[in-house]
Amino acid sequence: MLNDDTANLKSHLKTLHANLAQTEQVDEELQGLLMQLDGDIQALLDKRAAAAQAALSDEALAEQAKVAELAELADPAAHLLAEPPETTTYGLAERTQEITAKFAAEHPRLEPALRELGRMLSNMGI
């Protein structure tokens, strides 16, 4: 199902790009927001694909858990110093909805495509 969702999302992004290219005027702020959103979606899809290809075996996962447990026992506060998770892909569905609201008034033809993109992202849990 994940592959189907990913394929549908990629297809929808291509369609959205084609529609955007046919739109006469898009202000720079909105275009920048769309480009950032697109980049973040692409980055997330690339991460998911890489994770799927590099799936660890059960044995490797168990070993990794043991190492993490030993590290936690050695230094219980170590996880507090770890880098925070990447936030650029957090809330992509919500960001899409915000952009859709900005786009709706000026570009009503693109609004349904953006709304559908937000729905797709939300259904994927992104």
Side-chain angles (χ1 to χ4, degrees), residues 21-82:
Q22 294 173 358
T23 302
E24 292 178 19
Q25 282 275 331
V26 178
D27 69 52
E28 288 183 29
E29 177 191 8
L30 206 45
Q31 190 168 9
L33 290 171
L34 286 171
M35 289 176 66
Q36 181 181 9
L37 181 67
D38 181 61
D40 291 345
I41 291 169
Q42 294 295 340
L44 182 65
L45 292 176
D46 290 346
K47 273 186 182 178
R48 284 185 169 192
Q53 284 186 338
L56 298 171
S57 68
D58 290 340
E59 186 178 308
L61 286 173
E63 185 64 31
Q64 189 177 22
K66 286 179 188 176
V67 170
E69 186 177 332
L70 290 173
E72 178 71 23
L73 290 173
D75 186 3
H79 71 281
L80 298 174
L81 300 176

Side-chain angles (χ1 to χ4, degrees), residues 11-25:
S11 173
H12 194 75
L13 284 171
K14 285 180 184 178
T15 302
L16 186 58
H17 278 281
N19 290 341
L20 188 58
Q22 294 173 358
T23 302
E24 292 178 19
Q25 282 275 331

Side-chain angles (χ1 to χ4, degrees), residues 91-112:
L92 289 176
E94 291 82 4
R95 285 175 39 206
T96 302
Q97 291 171 354
E98 291 170 10
I99 293 171
T100 300
K102 290 181 180 184
F103 234 98
E106 293 179 32
H107 305 287
R109 277 187 43 225
L110 294 177
E111 190 265 341

